[in-house]
Amino acid sequence: MKEKRRFLAMLTALMLMFSIVSCAPTTDQGANSEAPEAEQTETEQTPSSSGGTLVWNIGSEPKTWDPQINTSGAGGHVIINLYEGLMRDTQDGIMKAQAQDYKIEANSEGVENTLYTFTLRDDLKWSDGKPVTAHDYEYAWKRAADPNLASPYAFLVTDYIKGAKEYFDGVGKAEDMKVKALDDKTLQVELINPTAYFLNLISFFTYMPVREDMATTGEGWEKDPAKCITNGAFKLSEYKIGSHLTMVKNEEYWDKDNVSLSEIKALFITDATTSLQGYQAGEIHITSLLPREEVPKLLAEDPNFSSEKGLGLTYYAINVDKEPFNDVNVRKALALAIDRKTLVEQVRRSGEIPAAAFVAPKFKTSDGKSFRPLDENEMVVPEFEIDPWAAQVDKAKEYLAKAGFPDGKGFPEFDLVYYIRTDEQKVAEAIQQMWEKNLGIKVNLVSVEASVFNAEQSAGKYSVSQSGWSADYNDPMTMLALFTSNGLNSCHWRWKEYAGSPHDKILNESNKAYDELVAKAIVSTGTERDDIMKEAEKVLMDEMIIIPLYYESYTQVLDRTKVDGPGRTPIGQWDFKPYKMIN
């Protein structure tokens, strides 16, 4: 009871601190912006577990949930509940959602599997009752490629749809982009090349529709319930900066009869201990933000705790344009000097898998096998000179000496940048000690807010920083596309200039071969495609532009005494459409 009272006091204080609804602008890098004050709303009490209200702690406050601007997992969780695309990612695979049907044909040049025609359902409406049309999809997909919007995820469109890259690069027009509403119910899109995973790709939030009359009202429109007109299972009813947002059932949704929840309250609690206490007090039904030191106990004692392998990697990004990190020998020395077994077993303790490469073992090749080579116990093995189970200190020292810094002598002191979160700090502290002990180099730890971190990493204002990537769709290409010359590529490893990263003027020729292999993999199929993707990954890992640390796991508590639901989607999102409250 004492624990419950303490949590309720903290939660009440948190909610009373903020009673502001945001109609806020966002920057082009929407996930990095802050929201100014707007009109006042009443402060609500935390809802009880009855009445169809699910209380969920996101674990951080999304900077945006504009589908074409968002890049964060937190924002993605919100988007998938507010909006719905043509297809839907589920535990049972990719399903038709807003699309009633589709056909795949050859284009006018006779290239098979490049022309997609989608027919929308008859009864689609926005949350304000207006019809959802194919024109809304055409607008949203072209918006994602609009150079004026500068969407960080533009490459998910420009790499696939004909004319999209030309439009984004400023040498083409929006009307030349090959996505078109043939009528209110029919959307046709022509791809640059056959893409085996296109239906999977368009289930991602960048491809979800937005209403033009709302999205053009000014930056931050999505944070205003009056402007956040949605087509998904839920709609936004409230947003309070620093506290929470509330989504309620969308009565205009085409499949509303299969939506049981009446309300979702999404909390922005960032402290893991407070988050766990909320769950233990019965006031939070779902949270994945948990103190690492409590995970072993939860695993042993709490049937509501679960952990599963994820489709992502935590790594340290290296800015390859900064000295001395522009030397591959330095990058390899840093990578080989880390004891990943210690990180996952003693620091993280959440079921992660130590990593020696980029693409997680949960990804499958065309024959259904793991993308990674595994031993007889299904465990990852050494690759690319990295032993995932032990530091390789002697080899690391050899590489550092080869770079001109024997035993670390003369190596410049540098900053290791990470998010302001306790678990990330512990990882950074452990690696700081490993590098100082094993290589004799001095490392300063710098913690920053996520908004500042993302902006500075994108601008190249760092040397080594915490980073990571989780799947946007269930295919290895979701990882590999990241480091193409026109991808997000926060390591600034580009062989040519890219409009989406205008500050990156130092070019890296080694990225060209990677670009070509990824492009080749996109148009390939079967085992040939598997081999090309692995060859591309080898280029990336031989250059060691990133330091792989561990493959992610999804850990969470879901109160099964009060909530019934299938867990996360295959790419780790919380889709609450199929969830129910248990009275």
Side-chain angles (χ1 to χ4, degrees), residues 9-10 57 63 75 91 139 162 176 184 190 207 217 224 249 251 323 339 342 349-350 353 367 430 432 480 491 569:
M10 285 187 285
N57 182 32
K63 299 304 176 183
Q91 294 284 5
Y139 167 73
K162 260 192 177 180
D176 297 327
D184 284 351
E190 184 177 350
Y207 280 91
T217 58
D224 181 354
K249 182 176 177 177
E251 295 295 340
E323 294 184 354
D339 181 352
T342 295
R349 299 192 297 176
S350 297
I353 302 169
D367 58 3
Q432 176 192 43
L480 297 171
C491 294
T569 69

Side-chain angles (χ1 to χ4, degrees), residues 520-565:
K520 189 177 178 181
I522 288 174
V523 301
S524 302
T525 58
T527 57
E528 179 189 14
R529 179 172 182 263
D530 298 338
D531 292 342
I532 296 170
M533 289 192 292
K534 289 182 178 181
E535 189 178 349
E537 185 189 44
K538 184 178 186 304
V539 173
L540 184 147
M541 292 305 305
D542 285 348
E543 286 296 312
M544 205 68 74
I545 67 165
I546 65 166
I547 300 173
L549 299 177
Y550 40 83
Y551 300 117
E552 72 177 18
S553 62
Y554 305 142
T555 57
Q556 55 272 318
V557 285
L558 191 161
D559 189 345
R560 296 281 179 188
T561 67
K562 299 177 181 177
V563 181
D564 180 37

Side-chain angles (χ1 to χ4, degrees), residues 346-364:
Q346 297 182 30
V347 181
R348 294 290 298 181
R349 299 192 297 176
S350 297
E352 293 90 351
I353 302 169
F358 185 42
V359 179
K362 190 176 179 181
F363 284 104
K364 305 299 182 183

Side-chain angles (χ1 to χ4, degrees), residues 129-306:
K130 293 184 178 180
V132 176
T133 73
H135 300 280
D136 296 320
Y137 280 91
E138 177 184 351
Y139 167 73
W141 292 13
K142 287 182 175 179
R143 180 176 184 253
D146 186 343
N148 295 313
L149 185 70
S151 168
Y153 265 135
F155 68 94
L156 286 184
V157 175
T158 60
D159 282 359
Y160 299 95
I161 298 178
K162 260 192 177 180
K165 188 176 187 305
E166 291 80 2
Y167 175 38
F168 184 81
D169 288 344
V171 296
K173 298 179 180 178
E175 53 264 36
D176 297 327
M177 187 173 158
K178 298 298 183 180
V179 55
K180 183 175 180 59
L182 302 183
D183 53 47
D184 284 351
K185 284 192 59 182
T186 312
L187 182 75
Q188 191 169 81
V189 57
E190 184 177 350
L191 304 188
I192 300 168
N193 297 296
T195 304
Y197 52 91
F198 186 67
L199 294 176
N200 202 317
L201 178 66
I202 62 173
S203 70
F204 189 57
F205 54 70
T206 305
Y207 280 91
M208 292 188 181
V210 295
R211 273 260 295 275
E212 183 175 5
D213 60 332
M214 298 294 107
T216 53
T217 58
E219 295 178 349
W221 60 274
E222 81 283 3
K223 296 183 178 181
D224 181 354
K227 297 177 181 178
C228 187
I229 306 301
T230 62
N231 72 322
F234 301 93
K235 63 181 181 179
L236 184 71
S237 66
E238 181 185 46
Y239 168 50
K240 293 185 178 180
I241 300 171
S243 175
H244 66 278
L245 63 83
T246 304
M247 297 177 280
V248 297
K249 182 176 177 177
N250 178 9
E251 295 295 340
E252 301 292 344
Y253 179 56
W254 70 273
D255 198 25
K256 67 179 181 180
D257 291 344
N258 288 314
V259 179
S260 296
L261 295 176
S262 61
E263 184 178 67
I264 302 166
K265 175 151 283 191
L267 306 178
F268 306 151
I269 297 172
T270 59
D271 179 75
T273 299
T274 305
S275 178
L276 176 60
Q277 289 174 346
Y279 157 73
Q280 292 172 333
E283 299 297 326
I284 292 177
H285 303 126
I286 299 175
T287 181
S288 54
L289 180 61
L290 303 165
R292 298 294 171 184
E293 62 274 13
E294 294 295 325
V295 168
K297 182 179 180 181
L298 290 168
L299 179 62
E301 301 177 3
D302 192 338
N304 291 324
F305 175 83
S306 62

Side-chain angles (χ1 to χ4, degrees), residues 294-571:
E294 294 295 325
V295 168
K297 182 179 180 181
L298 290 168
L299 179 62
E301 301 177 3
D302 192 338
N304 291 324
F305 175 83
S306 62
S307 177
E308 58 183 299
K309 294 177 182 178
L311 292 170
L313 172 76
T314 293
Y315 59 87
Y316 277 175
I318 303 177
N319 187 341
V320 299
D321 289 343
K322 282 200 172 185
E323 294 184 354
F325 307 98
N326 57 346
D327 187 335
V328 68
N329 294 300
V330 169
R331 302 195 293 268
K332 288 186 175 183
L334 295 175
L336 270 59
I338 295 173
D339 181 352
R340 293 160 176 80
K341 184 174 185 289
T342 295
L343 288 182
V344 301
E345 293 182 358
Q346 297 182 30
V347 181
R348 294 290 298 181
R349 299 192 297 176
S350 297
E352 293 90 351
I353 302 169
F358 185 42
V359 179
K362 190 176 179 181
F363 284 104
K364 305 299 182 183
T365 53
S366 60
D367 58 3
K369 296 180 180 178
S370 172
F371 192 88
R372 299 255 64 82
L374 304 173
D375 66 16
E376 64 276 10
N377 297 314
E378 298 294 303
M379 302 299 288
V380 292
V381 299
E383 293 185 83
F384 307 111
E385 300 186 90
I386 296 175
D387 186 343
W389 304 103
Q392 295 176 285
V393 178
D394 291 340
K395 281 188 179 180
K397 287 183 174 180
E398 287 176 13
Y399 276 118
L400 198 60
K402 190 175 180 180
F405 306 102
D407 297 320
K409 293 177 182 177
F411 196 89
E413 197 170 307
F414 70 95
D415 293 342
L416 171 58
V417 184
Y418 65 95
Y419 295 136
I420 297 178
R421 277 175 56 166
T422 303
D423 51 353
E424 306 302 346
Q425 179 180 338
K426 289 179 179 178
V427 170
E429 289 171 347
I431 292 176
Q432 176 192 43
Q433 293 171 12
M434 292 173 190
W435 282 343
E436 291 187 7
K437 176 184 177 182
N438 296 338
L439 297 176
I441 60 179
K442 177 67 175 176
V443 183
N444 301 313
L445 300 185
V446 177
S447 61
V448 295
E449 293 286 353
S451 58
V452 176
F453 175 89
N454 291 333
E456 293 196 350
Q457 189 181 64
S458 297
K461 297 178 180 178
Y462 78 97
S463 295
V464 181
S465 72
Q466 170 209 341
S467 198
W469 197 253
S470 294
D472 296 330
Y473 48 95
N474 194 354
D475 186 275
M477 193 58 68
T478 189
M479 305 296 293
L480 297 171
L482 181 64
F483 289 110
T484 60
S485 59
N486 61 337
L488 293 180
N489 207 337
S490 59
C491 294
H492 306 279
W493 182 54
R494 290 186 174 89
W495 70 276
K496 61 180 179 179
E497 292 188 13
Y498 171 52
S501 186
H503 58 275
D504 190 2
K505 302 296 185 183
I506 299 175
L507 303 181
N508 309 99
E509 187 63 23
S510 60
N511 176 245
K512 186 175 183 180
Y514 182 82
D515 248 21
E516 292 171 347
L517 286 165
V518 170
K520 189 177 178 181
I522 288 174
V523 301
S524 302
T525 58
T527 57
E528 179 189 14
R529 179 172 182 263
D530 298 338
D531 292 342
I532 296 170
M533 289 192 292
K534 289 182 178 181
E535 189 178 349
E537 185 189 44
K538 184 178 186 304
V539 173
L540 184 147
M541 292 305 305
D542 285 348
E543 286 296 312
M544 205 68 74
I545 67 165
I546 65 166
I547 300 173
L549 299 177
Y550 40 83
Y551 300 117
E552 72 177 18
S553 62
Y554 305 142
T555 57
Q556 55 272 318
V557 285
L558 191 161
D559 189 345
R560 296 281 179 188
T561 67
K562 299 177 181 177
V563 181
D564 180 37
R568 304 198 200 194
T569 69
I571 66 170

